[in-house]
Amino acid sequence: MTRAAEKMPLRAAISQLYGYIYCMILSNMLTDMPVFGGVLYLCGEAVVIFSGTITKNRKFLPAYVKRWMILLLVVLLVIGLILAGLFPADIQSEKLWILYAAVALCLCAEANTDRLSRFLNENESLSSRAKLFSFSLQVLIMGGMSAIIFYHFGWENGWAPAAGFLLLVLSRVYVMNRFRGTFEFADLNAGELGETDFRNAHAYHTVEWFSLLLVMAVELTVTSIYALLATNRNELLPAMAVAVVCTVLSAEAGYLLLRRTEKNGLKDPTWLICSGLILWLAGIVLCIQMLIAGKIEYIRVYIYLVICTVGGSLSMTGLGRIEELMPEAMNASGEEIPKGYWKLRVTNWNLARLLGDTLSLIALGIFCIVNRKGLPETAEQLASRFQPVMAIPVFLVVIGALISAFRFPLSRRYIEKIRQLMKLQEAGRENEALQKQVAKVISEPYRQPYLSRFLMILCKLHFRCKVYNTDHIVSDDENPLVFLCNHGEFYGPMACKMYIPVPIRAWAVSSMMHDKKSVTQYIYDNTTSRQNMPEFEKRMLARMAAWLSVNVMSQLECIPVYRDSPAKLRETFRLTMEAMEAGDNVLIFPENPENKYPSEGIGELSPGFVMLADIYWKRKKKRLRMLPMYADKKRRRVTFGSIIEYNPESNLKDETERIVRETRKQILAMAEAGTEAGSKA
C-alpha cells in the first residue's frame, strides 16, 4: 500500500464540489433560481452513487445499512418526483430542458472523466477500443455542452459558462489523479472480505464512524455554504476558480504541514483533524452570523469559504493518514486484513457521500417546496429567508466528527509502537508483549490522554523550570530505562511527566487510581492536611485532586503499586515487566511511604524496587539501567544523574545496598548542587 492511500478520503469529499457550484450558477443564469440547479445536480449525483453502491459494492455494506438503502431510495424517488412535477409549470419549458440537459452532461462528463483518469495509472489495462471510445465520448460531451451554451447565451455571453465547464472538467481530472491511490485500480477487485471479525475492533469501529461523519460534514458544508457563490450569476468563472484554488491549495498545504510535523516527531494525526474541525466550525459560525444579519458581502463570503475549506481539508488530510495507518495497526495487532479491505473503505466513503447528499436534498427540497415560485434569485433574498435552524444538521455532524476524533485510540506513542512492531515483523522477529499491548489498544475501548495533556500544558505555563543533563538519557527500545525520582509531594510526579523527554509509565499507589474515596483520604493525609488553609478547603482540594488523579492515572496508564498486600505486589512487578518488554520506560518514586515526603532533598529509600532488576535479568538476561533524577520544587529545576546498571554477578543483597546507596548519593548531590547554584544566583 502506498502513501497515496491517504488522499482518497479528501478526493471522495471534494470530487462533486465543482459540478455542484457550476450547476447552481448555471441555474441562476437560466432560471433565476440557483437552488433548483443545485438540487437537480445533487439528485443525479446521489442516484449515481446509489446505483454504483447497490450494483457493485452491496456485499461490503453492513446489514443495517442495506436496510437503510431502501429508505434512501424512497427518499430520492420522492424528491425526484416532486422536482419533476412541481417546477415545469413554474418556469419556461425551454430553459427547463436546457438546464436538465446541462446537469445531465455535467454528470456524464464527471463519470467519463473518472474513467479517463485511469489511463494515467500504469496498472490499468484497457483495450485501445475502450480508450478511444472514452476519449470520443468526452469530446462529444464537451461539444454538446458548448453547443447548448452558445445556442442559448449567444457567442458574446456564452464564453464564460463554456470556460466554466472546461474548468470543471480539468479540475475533476486533477482531483481524480492527484488524490488517487494505486489500490483504487489494483486492489478493489482483488479478493473478498471473507470470515473476519476486524470490523468489531474498537479502533476500526471508531475510524469507520469518524470517516462517515467527516465526509457527511463536507457534503453538507459544500451544499450549504458554497451555495452562496451561486447567487451572483455574473461571477461564474471567479466562483469556480475560488472553489478550485481553495480546495487544491488547502489540501496541498495540509499534506505539507503533516509531513513537516512528522519529521519533527509529531506523528499523531488527530491534532490536525481537531484543529481543522475547530477552524471549520469557526467559518460556519461566521457565515451564519452574516446570514442572520440579512446582508451578504461577497468578500466576506470568500473569506469564510476559505476558512471552512482549509479547516475541512486539514481534517480530511488527517483522516487520510489515519486510513493509511489502520491496516498497519490491524496487522500489527494480529488481525488479518482481507484483500477486499480497501473496497470496503471506499464503499464507506461513498455511503457517507450518499447520506450527506440525501440530507442536503431533504433540506433543499423542503426549501424549494415552501418557496415554490418565490425561490431566491439574489444574495439578499437568500439571506432574508435564511433560518438558523437550517444550520443545525451541519453543526451536529461536524461536532459529532469532532467527538469521534477525540475517541480515536492511536496516540503518537502507539503509532510509534506500531511502526516498531512492523519493523520487527519485517525482520522476522517477535515481541509478544508489544503485540499484546498494541492489540489491546486496537481491540478494546481506549482513549487518548487529552485530559492529562491539557493539564500538562496548563502546568507548564505556571510551573516552568530548567532541565539539566538530558544528554544522560540514552534511549533504547530493547532495554528501557527506569527513572528514580524524589516525590516532593505533588511536584515530583508533575515535573517528571512534564519534563522527562521520553515516554514513561509511572508506578503509582493503587489507592490513587481506583476508589475515589480512598484517593481523597490518601491525598488529604499526605498533602493537603499540611497546607495552611481552612479545613473545608483542604477537604475540597483533596476531593478535586482525587477526581483528577483517578482519570489522569488511567489515561497515563500508570502501573498500580499494592503496598498493603505482598501477593498483589507481584501484580505490580508483572505489569512492569510486561511494560518494559514492550519497550516502555518506567518511573519509580523509591522513597519510603511510611514517612511523609520531604519538600526538599529525598527521604529514606525503600529497597524493593531493586527486585525489578533481578527479575528483569532472569527473564530477559539484560542488565537493568536505572537513572536517578531530582525534581527541585524550590528552585524549579529538574536534573538527571548518571545511569546505574544492575550487576547480576554480585550478591543480590550487596547489589541492593549499592544501588540504593548510589541512588541516594546522586539525588542528594543534585539537590546540593541546586542549592549552591541558587545561592550564587
Side-chain angles (χ1 to χ4, degrees), residues 363-374:
L364 292 175
I366 293 174
F367 185 77
C368 291
I369 293 173
V370 171
N371 289 276
R372 297 196 66 178
K373 295 182 180 181

PDB file of all heavy atoms in Angstrom, residues 363-374:
ATOM      1  N   ALA A 363     -33.207  18.944   2.866  1.00  0.00           N
ATOM      2  CA  ALA A 363     -33.264  20.350   3.282  1.00  0.00           C
ATOM      3  C   ALA A 363     -33.588  21.267   2.108  1.00  0.00           C
ATOM      4  O   ALA A 363     -34.465  22.141   2.197  1.00  0.00           O
ATOM      5  CB  ALA A 363     -31.938  20.752   3.928  1.00  0.00           C
ATOM      6  N   LEU A 364     -32.878  21.070   0.978  1.00  0.00           N
ATOM      7  CA  LEU A 364     -33.120  21.926  -0.186  1.00  0.00           C
ATOM      8  C   LEU A 364     -34.493  21.665  -0.798  1.00  0.00           C
ATOM      9  O   LEU A 364     -35.150  22.588  -1.297  1.00  0.00           O
ATOM     10  CB  LEU A 364     -32.023  21.692  -1.225  1.00  0.00           C
ATOM     11  CG  LEU A 364     -30.622  22.178  -0.838  1.00  0.00           C
ATOM     12  CD1 LEU A 364     -29.613  21.787  -1.904  1.00  0.00           C
ATOM     13  CD2 LEU A 364     -30.610  23.680  -0.624  1.00  0.00           C
ATOM     14  N   GLY A 365     -34.915  20.393  -0.777  1.00  0.00           N
ATOM     15  CA  GLY A 365     -36.243  20.077  -1.303  1.00  0.00           C
ATOM     16  C   GLY A 365     -37.345  20.762  -0.519  1.00  0.00           C
ATOM     17  O   GLY A 365     -38.293  21.308  -1.088  1.00  0.00           O
ATOM     18  N   ILE A 366     -37.230  20.718   0.815  1.00  0.00           N
ATOM     19  CA  ILE A 366     -38.208  21.416   1.652  1.00  0.00           C
ATOM     20  C   ILE A 366     -38.180  22.916   1.369  1.00  0.00           C
ATOM     21  O   ILE A 366     -39.221  23.577   1.284  1.00  0.00           O
ATOM     22  CB  ILE A 366     -37.928  21.133   3.136  1.00  0.00           C
ATOM     23  CG1 ILE A 366     -38.183  19.649   3.442  1.00  0.00           C
ATOM     24  CG2 ILE A 366     -38.775  22.020   4.033  1.00  0.00           C
ATOM     25  CD1 ILE A 366     -37.790  19.232   4.844  1.00  0.00           C
ATOM     26  N   PHE A 367     -36.970  23.449   1.202  1.00  0.00           N
ATOM     27  CA  PHE A 367     -36.823  24.869   0.908  1.00  0.00           C
ATOM     28  C   PHE A 367     -37.520  25.224  -0.405  1.00  0.00           C
ATOM     29  O   PHE A 367     -38.206  26.252  -0.513  1.00  0.00           O
ATOM     30  CB  PHE A 367     -35.333  25.217   0.842  1.00  0.00           C
ATOM     31  CG  PHE A 367     -35.052  26.676   0.657  1.00  0.00           C
ATOM     32  CD1 PHE A 367     -35.161  27.550   1.722  1.00  0.00           C
ATOM     33  CD2 PHE A 367     -34.664  27.177  -0.567  1.00  0.00           C
ATOM     34  CE1 PHE A 367     -34.894  28.894   1.562  1.00  0.00           C
ATOM     35  CE2 PHE A 367     -34.389  28.521  -0.747  1.00  0.00           C
ATOM     36  CZ  PHE A 367     -34.506  29.382   0.335  1.00  0.00           C
ATOM     37  N   CYS A 368     -37.345  24.370  -1.414  1.00  0.00           N
ATOM     38  CA  CYS A 368     -37.984  24.622  -2.713  1.00  0.00           C
ATOM     39  C   CYS A 368     -39.500  24.513  -2.627  1.00  0.00           C
ATOM     40  O   CYS A 368     -40.236  25.311  -3.214  1.00  0.00           O
ATOM     41  CB  CYS A 368     -37.450  23.645  -3.759  1.00  0.00           C
ATOM     42  SG  CYS A 368     -35.725  23.916  -4.235  1.00  0.00           S
ATOM     43  N   ILE A 369     -40.005  23.517  -1.904  1.00  0.00           N
ATOM     44  CA  ILE A 369     -41.450  23.314  -1.813  1.00  0.00           C
ATOM     45  C   ILE A 369     -42.115  24.478  -1.083  1.00  0.00           C
ATOM     46  O   ILE A 369     -43.185  24.959  -1.482  1.00  0.00           O
ATOM     47  CB  ILE A 369     -41.749  21.984  -1.093  1.00  0.00           C
ATOM     48  CG1 ILE A 369     -41.270  20.810  -1.963  1.00  0.00           C
ATOM     49  CG2 ILE A 369     -43.230  21.849  -0.784  1.00  0.00           C
ATOM     50  CD1 ILE A 369     -41.358  19.471  -1.265  1.00  0.00           C
ATOM     51  N   VAL A 370     -41.462  24.945  -0.008  1.00  0.00           N
ATOM     52  CA  VAL A 370     -42.030  26.044   0.769  1.00  0.00           C
ATOM     53  C   VAL A 370     -42.075  27.323  -0.053  1.00  0.00           C
ATOM     54  O   VAL A 370     -43.061  28.068  -0.041  1.00  0.00           O
ATOM     55  CB  VAL A 370     -41.223  26.254   2.065  1.00  0.00           C
ATOM     56  CG1 VAL A 370     -41.665  27.533   2.769  1.00  0.00           C
ATOM     57  CG2 VAL A 370     -41.393  25.054   2.986  1.00  0.00           C
ATOM     58  N   ASN A 371     -41.018  27.598  -0.823  1.00  0.00           N
ATOM     59  CA  ASN A 371     -40.934  28.859  -1.563  1.00  0.00           C
ATOM     60  C   ASN A 371     -41.576  28.780  -2.943  1.00  0.00           C
ATOM     61  O   ASN A 371     -42.043  29.779  -3.472  1.00  0.00           O
ATOM     62  CB  ASN A 371     -39.470  29.281  -1.708  1.00  0.00           C
ATOM     63  CG  ASN A 371     -38.869  29.744  -0.400  1.00  0.00           C
ATOM     64  OD1 ASN A 371     -39.012  30.882   0.005  1.00  0.00           O
ATOM     65  ND2 ASN A 371     -38.199  28.827   0.288  1.00  0.00           N
ATOM     66  N   ARG A 372     -41.541  27.605  -3.586  1.00  0.00           N
ATOM     67  CA  ARG A 372     -42.096  27.383  -4.916  1.00  0.00           C
ATOM     68  C   ARG A 372     -41.716  28.502  -5.873  1.00  0.00           C
ATOM     69  O   ARG A 372     -40.548  28.658  -6.219  1.00  0.00           O
ATOM     70  CB  ARG A 372     -43.615  27.232  -4.832  1.00  0.00           C
ATOM     71  CG  ARG A 372     -44.028  26.018  -4.020  1.00  0.00           C
ATOM     72  CD  ARG A 372     -45.471  25.639  -4.234  1.00  0.00           C
ATOM     73  NE  ARG A 372     -45.691  25.177  -5.604  1.00  0.00           N
ATOM     74  CZ  ARG A 372     -46.862  24.738  -6.050  1.00  0.00           C
ATOM     75  NH1 ARG A 372     -47.910  24.725  -5.252  1.00  0.00           N
ATOM     76  NH2 ARG A 372     -46.981  24.342  -7.289  1.00  0.00           N
ATOM     77  N   LYS A 373     -42.651  29.351  -6.279  1.00  0.00           N
ATOM     78  CA  LYS A 373     -42.345  30.397  -7.254  1.00  0.00           C
ATOM     79  C   LYS A 373     -41.447  31.488  -6.675  1.00  0.00           C
ATOM     80  O   LYS A 373     -40.847  32.239  -7.433  1.00  0.00           O
ATOM     81  CB  LYS A 373     -43.642  31.034  -7.758  1.00  0.00           C
ATOM     82  CG  LYS A 373     -44.526  30.093  -8.547  1.00  0.00           C
ATOM     83  CD  LYS A 373     -45.763  30.821  -9.043  1.00  0.00           C
ATOM     84  CE  LYS A 373     -46.662  29.890  -9.838  1.00  0.00           C
ATOM     85  NZ  LYS A 373     -47.869  30.591 -10.353  1.00  0.00           N
ATOM     86  N   GLY A 374     -41.354  31.526  -5.363  1.00  0.00           N
ATOM     87  CA  GLY A 374     -40.567  32.593  -4.747  1.00  0.00           C
ATOM     88  C   GLY A 374     -39.168  32.171  -4.374  1.00  0.00           C
ATOM     89  O   GLY A 374     -38.629  32.670  -3.388  1.00  0.00           O
TER      90      GLY A 374
END
